[in-house]
């Protein structure tokens, strides 16, 4: 399973991606998370996170800071406005045409483009920042420039005019120009599994994946000819036995962070120094029976989403690294009438807040929020005006905002 952000084409939190072996990981708990996250309190009922509350410890070594949060000490739920994290929030309405329709898995926004990575081996679509369809990047198949397995990650490199894809499994990185035309496949000397990719300032590529053998690269840097420039080999603790685990990488801080579920620590990969830098982990009341959980990183926060064992309990935790404190939290879009944002950690991707909904879903959310009586008169009017512009058969609507540094 790859967790499907609420930033994708519909507000499902999880989509069955690859094989039956992994299906037990997140499905039932994701439904629970959606229910938990959909709950809302009014702003005047919210508590304020107190500084230095004893739940957060910072360990510093050689200039690197590791934040550790104790779940048993996390405080009561607060309501947090989206404006705490982003500079602004606007709506993008994707072009409504046959070639422009999509069912997104991940949405990658850059300064000039919005890239749509779809599941089920569907083609990658590229839009401009106003939602106008530009190109399909590559195509599905087994010929040159085609992909016959699901795409697992992408990088849109506007500086050098390239787009890169990594497959679910394979011995190549696919390279295209910014107009969606295939340039070449970058050959690799080993198989990569569920790989995440990052473009470095010098144009080289950093890759993190799930190695099956000790001594194989866990993380490595490669040039566009396929030459391995440096690497960090897997140990007995970091290799995997099958595809059940995941590598999650949301990259909201301008570097290559990732959470390898088999290691249980969020790292950044310093490819120039060839080091893995531990950034965050959490201690649980019973460390021998940890619940399923995910870690996310923002410039001044970490977010933890966890699901209780046997489907019982769970929630979203916000860790404030400036206040040195944590709390359960609910995220609301205060730019648009405090609309609830489910699964908040998934909604921040590559430096942007991203929430994509089908028009019918957004209409339903607006109606529910107005009926709750939690909107001010001004917010209610704004939501009604927005709902009046939506047509259920149109393409998706995207809320987007740039993450504050």
């Amino acid at each position: 399973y790859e967790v499907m952000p609420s930033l994708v084409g519909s507000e499902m939190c999880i989509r069955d991606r690859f094989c039956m072996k992994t299906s037990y990981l997140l499905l039932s708990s994701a439904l629970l998370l959606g229910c938990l996250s959909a709950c809302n309190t009014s702003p005047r009922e919210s508590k304020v996170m107190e500084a230095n509350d004893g739940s957060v410890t910072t360990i510093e070594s050689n200039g690197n800071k590791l934040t550790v949060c104790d779940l048993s000490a996390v405080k009561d739920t607060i309501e947090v406005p989206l404006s705490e994290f982003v500079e602004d929030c606007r709506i993008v309405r994707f072009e409504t045409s046959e070639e422009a329709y999509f069912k997104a898995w991940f949405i990658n926004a850059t300064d000039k483009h919005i890239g749509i990575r779809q599941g089920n081996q569907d083609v990658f679509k590229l839009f401009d920042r106003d939602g106008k369809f530009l190109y399909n990047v590559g195509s599905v198949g087994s010929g040159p420039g085609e992909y016959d397995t699901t795409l697992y990650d992408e990088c849109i490199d506007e500086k050098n005019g390239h787009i890169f894809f990594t497959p679910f499994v394979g011995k190549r990185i696919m390279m295209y120009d910014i107009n969606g035309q295939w340039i070449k496949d970058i050959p690799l000397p080993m198989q990569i599994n569920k790989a995440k990719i990052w473009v470095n300032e010098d144009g080289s590529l950093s890759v993190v994946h799930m190695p099956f053998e000790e001594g194989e690269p866990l993380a490595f840097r490669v040039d566009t000819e396929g030459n391995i420039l440096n690497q960090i080999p897997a140990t007995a603790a970091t290799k995997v036995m099958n595809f059940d685990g995941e590598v999650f990488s949301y990259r909201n801080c301008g570097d290559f962070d990732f959470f390898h579920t088999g290691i249980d620590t969020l790292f950044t990969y310093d490819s120039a120094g060839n080091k893995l830098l531990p950034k965050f982990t959490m201690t649980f009341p019973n460390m021998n029976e940890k619940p399923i959980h995910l870690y996310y990183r923002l410039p001044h926060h970490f977010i933890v989403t966890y699901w209780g064992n046997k489907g019982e309990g769970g929630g979203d935790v916000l860790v404030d690294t400036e206040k040195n404190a944590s709390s359960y939290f609910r995220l609301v879009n205060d730019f648009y009438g405090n609309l609830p944002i489910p699964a908040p950690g998934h909604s921040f991707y590559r430096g942007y807040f991203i929430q994509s909904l089908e028009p019918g879903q957004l209409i339903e959310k607006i109606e529910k929020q107005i009926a709750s009586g939690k909107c001010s008169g001004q917010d209610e009017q704004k939501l009604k005006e927005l709902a009046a512009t939506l047509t259920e058969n149109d393409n998706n609507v995207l809320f987007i905002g740039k993450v504050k540094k």
Side-chain angles (χ1 to χ4, degrees):
Y1 258 77
E2 170 80 74
V3 167
M4 184 178 181
S6 58
L7 53 85
V8 296
S10 63
E11 278 208 339
M12 298 165 59
C13 290
I14 302 293
R15 177 177 289 173
D16 188 359
R17 296 297 306 123
F18 305 114
C19 61
M20 292 300 292
K21 290 182 180 179
T22 61
S23 61
Y24 66 91
L25 284 176
L26 296 171
L27 181 58
S28 59
S29 50
L31 298 175
L32 173 63
L33 177 65
C35 294
L36 290 171
S37 301
C39 298
N40 191 22
T41 59
S42 68
R44 59 180 176 273
E45 295 175 343
S46 301
K47 304 175 180 66
V48 177
M49 188 183 295
E50 297 180 0
N52 302 310
D53 64 3
S55 66
V56 176
T57 303
T58 302
I59 303 170
E60 188 166 357
S61 176
N62 297 322
N64 179 68
K65 292 183 179 180
L66 169 65
T67 301
V68 182
C69 180
D70 179 2
L71 180 62
S72 64
V74 174
K75 300 302 183 289
D76 293 339
T77 301
I78 61 174
E79 183 174 272
V80 181
L82 180 61
S83 57
E84 176 79 11
F85 303 110
V86 301
E87 298 171 357
D88 56 13
C89 183
R90 71 183 186 96
I91 290 178
V92 173
R93 300 169 189 265
F94 288 101
E95 175 183 324
T96 298
S97 65
E98 184 175 353
E99 62 182 357
Y101 275 108
F102 60 82
K103 290 289 185 180
W105 183 18
F106 277 82
I107 297 179
N108 183 358
T110 62
D111 289 342
K112 299 178 181 178
H113 297 91
I114 298 174
I116 309 294
R117 175 163 36 113
Q118 303 189 89
N120 300 321
Q121 296 180 281
D122 289 331
V123 70
F124 187 96
K125 293 185 177 292
L126 196 66
F127 294 79
D128 69 15
R129 282 295 300 266
D130 293 322
K132 179 184 177 182
F133 176 73
L134 299 177
Y135 319 105
N136 288 328
V137 183
S139 58
V140 177
S142 56
E146 297 178 338
Y147 27 92
D148 55 4
T149 62
T150 298
L151 300 178
Y152 207 71
D153 201 17
E154 77 290 323
C155 269
I156 302 172
D157 178 16
E158 290 177 339
K159 175 183 175 182
N160 299 301
H162 296 141
I163 298 174
F164 299 94
F165 294 149
T166 54
F168 171 65
V169 62
K171 291 186 176 182
R172 62 175 178 163
I173 297 171
M174 290 161 278
M175 182 177 183
Y176 301 80
D177 66 25
I178 203 68
N179 297 319
Q181 299 301 306
W182 179 65
I183 298 175
K184 63 180 180 179
D185 286 345
I186 301 171
L188 299 175
M190 70 290 188
Q191 176 175 296
I192 53 175
N193 311 300
K194 293 185 170 181
K196 302 299 183 183
I197 188 172
W198 177 263
V199 179
N200 301 306
E201 283 296 319
D202 63 0
S204 64
L205 306 171
S206 293
V207 180
V208 175
H209 79 123
M210 295 169 48
F212 280 20
E213 298 291 338
E214 189 174 348
E216 288 185 359
L218 165 67
F220 61 92
R221 185 166 66 95
V222 61
D223 64 22
T224 55
E225 300 302 318
N227 301 304
I228 304 297
L229 304 176
N230 50 32
Q231 59 182 287
I232 298 174
T235 65
T238 58
K239 72 173 186 177
V240 300
M241 302 300 295
N242 50 45
F243 287 102
D244 285 355
E246 294 293 339
V247 178
F248 298 98
S249 183
Y250 288 81
R251 290 155 282 187
N252 288 300
C253 300
D255 54 14
F256 192 2
D257 59 33
F258 70 94
F259 173 47
H260 188 310
T261 56
I263 307 174
D264 198 25
T265 299
L266 189 150
F267 292 89
T268 59
Y269 175 33
D270 174 9
S271 61
N274 203 35
K275 297 181 291 186
L276 296 181
L277 304 175
K279 293 297 182 181
F280 180 83
T281 193
M282 173 170 273
T283 58
F284 295 89
N286 185 347
M287 293 297 285
N288 294 320
E289 296 184 9
K290 297 179 186 179
I292 296 170
H293 57 279
L294 299 174
Y295 303 147
Y296 312 89
R297 178 170 167 246
L298 291 168
H300 306 290
H301 300 82
F302 293 97
I303 295 175
V304 180
T305 294
Y306 76 96
W307 295 266
N309 290 321
K310 300 179 182 179
E312 299 175 359
D316 299 303
V317 175
L318 181 66
V319 179
D320 190 319
T321 57
E322 294 183 330
K323 290 185 176 181
N324 209 37
S326 66
S327 182
Y328 289 97
F329 81 113
R330 304 183 185 100
L331 184 63
V332 297
N333 190 338
D334 54 322
F335 296 95
Y336 290 91
N338 288 330
L339 286 172
I341 301 170
H346 308 312
S347 300
F348 297 97
Y349 191 61
R350 307 288 183 96
Y352 286 91
F353 166 74
I354 298 285
Q355 186 185 23
S356 177
L357 302 101
E358 296 174 359
Q361 292 175 316
L362 181 52
I363 291 171
E364 183 177 343
K365 278 183 168 292
I366 290 172
E367 290 175 346
K368 185 175 181 180
Q369 181 68 357
I370 291 174
S372 72
K374 297 172 183 176
C375 290
S376 67
Q378 184 177 356
D379 284 340
E380 180 175 337
Q381 182 61 31
K382 185 175 183 178
L383 290 178
K384 286 180 178 179
E385 290 174 357
L386 172 59
T389 68
L390 300 172
T391 303
E392 290 194 6
N393 292 329
D394 284 349
N395 205 350
N396 291 3
V397 175
L398 180 71
F399 291 100
I400 182 170
K402 194 169 183 63
V403 172
K404 293 178 181 178
K405 300 297 184 183

